[in-house]
Amino acid sequence: MEIRVFPSVDEAVLEAADMVERFISGAGPVLGLAAGATMKPLYAELARRHNQPEPARRCADSRIGLRAYLLDEYVGLGPDDQRSFRNTLMCEFARPVGLAEENVCGPRASEVDLAQECERYEASIREAQVGIQLLGIGVNGHIGFNEPGSPLDSATRVVELSEQTREANSQVFAPDPVPAQAITQGIGTILSAGQLLLLAFGNHKAAPVQQALEGPITPRVPASAIRMHSCATVILDAAAASKLSG
Ligand code: GLP
């Protein structure tokens, strides 16, 4: 695992954007997308680069076969619901880089048979073989929506969201309550990607980052599982790295 610490979020984002841009400029890339505040500046930077005039423009689009797979989705929200991760990622990333709707795949969390939908999505991810999976980290150490206690070999499934996670995401839903459940790629699913790129910024991420990177590898801290992967990169700003000993 490689840990890279940058003085500011801006510098960290530029490095992450370079990595993603290099990857999606290759042939037939499959990118794993994460939602959340952490990813917003990265997607904005990738969109900015995409919209530069040729030849400075290097960011790939649907013409060279980029496909994207979502990490998770709230149960009960259809794809057109503004609050769905799918809609958010279409707005923040896919449309700005010219990626067509049909090339963005995610769990259909408004299906009647959620168990069947989880099986379908797990199979489609395994078949697609994600090249780089982007990851944020929750304040309780979650990745995707794999809350503490999630088995390290778990597959895509329906999960109950913790109060802490619902609180952290409440702004998007206010005044409505945050859905109680989500479909998430499992930790095992996430680990099947070719490369993991975890980003964390800010003081509020310092404790979960320290536990994930320096504590035991345990289901109690789902993000600690990234250390089981042979090609994981962690990009932090100084604040998120402030509790690391090394
Ligand atoms: C959310 C999402 C994750 C995200 C993480 C961190 O609840 N399920 O995909 O990476 O928690 O979110 P944020 O970047 O907003 O802190």
Side-chain angles (χ1 to χ4, degrees):
M1 181 180 58
E2 188 185 6
I3 302 173
R4 309 194 54 188
V5 181
F6 294 84
S8 68
V9 173
D10 287 352
E11 287 157 280
V13 163
L14 290 180
E15 177 63 22
D18 284 349
M19 285 180 66
V20 174
E21 190 183 30
R22 269 196 302 276
F23 171 69
I24 64 180
S25 300
V30 180
L31 180 65
L33 297 178
T38 309
M39 297 297 152
K40 281 181 198 287
L42 171 61
Y43 297 144
E45 174 62 15
L46 291 168
R48 189 192 67 75
R49 293 180 187 197
H50 176 78
N51 289 312
Q52 283 186 342
E54 301 269 14
R57 184 180 121 181
R58 286 187 289 133
C59 191
D61 62 21
S62 52
R63 285 175 302 167
I64 64 157
L66 173 63
R67 282 178 298 148
Y69 278 74
L70 272 51
L71 197 49
D72 45 17
E73 186 59 275
Y74 291 107
V75 163
L77 302 193
D80 298 328
D81 190 309
Q82 295 216 325
R83 303 161 304 180
S84 70
F85 283 155
R86 184 186 175 86
N87 183 66
T88 305
L89 291 167
M90 283 304 302
C91 295
E92 290 179 358
F93 175 73
R95 285 192 200 103
V97 302
L99 184 60
E101 188 100 31
E102 64 266 25
N103 290 323
V104 179
C105 307
R108 298 182 299 227
S110 54
E111 292 287 308
V112 177
D113 190 339
L114 291 176
Q116 193 180 52
E117 174 57 14
C118 290
E119 271 183 39
R120 180 202 68 80
Y121 194 56
E122 176 76 16
S124 77
I125 293 167
R126 297 280 181 170
E127 194 188 338
Q129 294 188 346
V130 171
I132 291 186
Q133 176 63 56
L134 300 175
L135 294 170
I137 181 171
V139 286
N140 62 3
H142 73 224
I143 44 172
F145 269 137
N146 292 283
E147 299 281 32
S150 298
L152 300 183
D153 61 354
S154 47
T156 301
R157 66 204 187 287
V158 175
V159 292
E160 305 291 324
L161 299 178
S162 70
E163 277 314 310
Q164 202 178 10
T165 296
R166 294 178 75 202
E167 174 60 33
N169 291 289
S170 59
Q171 242 186 341
V172 176
F173 289 89
D176 297 333
V178 179
Q181 293 182 314
I183 292 181
T184 185
Q185 288 189 31
I187 297 175
T189 326
I190 291 168
L191 293 178
S192 75
Q195 186 177 354
L196 304 180
L197 177 55
L198 186 143
L199 309 185
F201 307 137
N203 281 317
H204 64 305
K205 297 293 175 75
V209 162
Q210 192 279 330
Q211 287 161 14
L213 304 186
E214 296 184 338
I217 296 174
T218 166
R220 288 195 302 278
V221 185
S224 65
I226 71 164
R227 286 152 57 201
M228 295 162 63
H229 197 283
S230 59
C231 189
T233 303
V234 179
I235 291 185
L236 307 171
D237 73 339
S242 59
K243 287 192 180 346
L244 293 177
S245 62

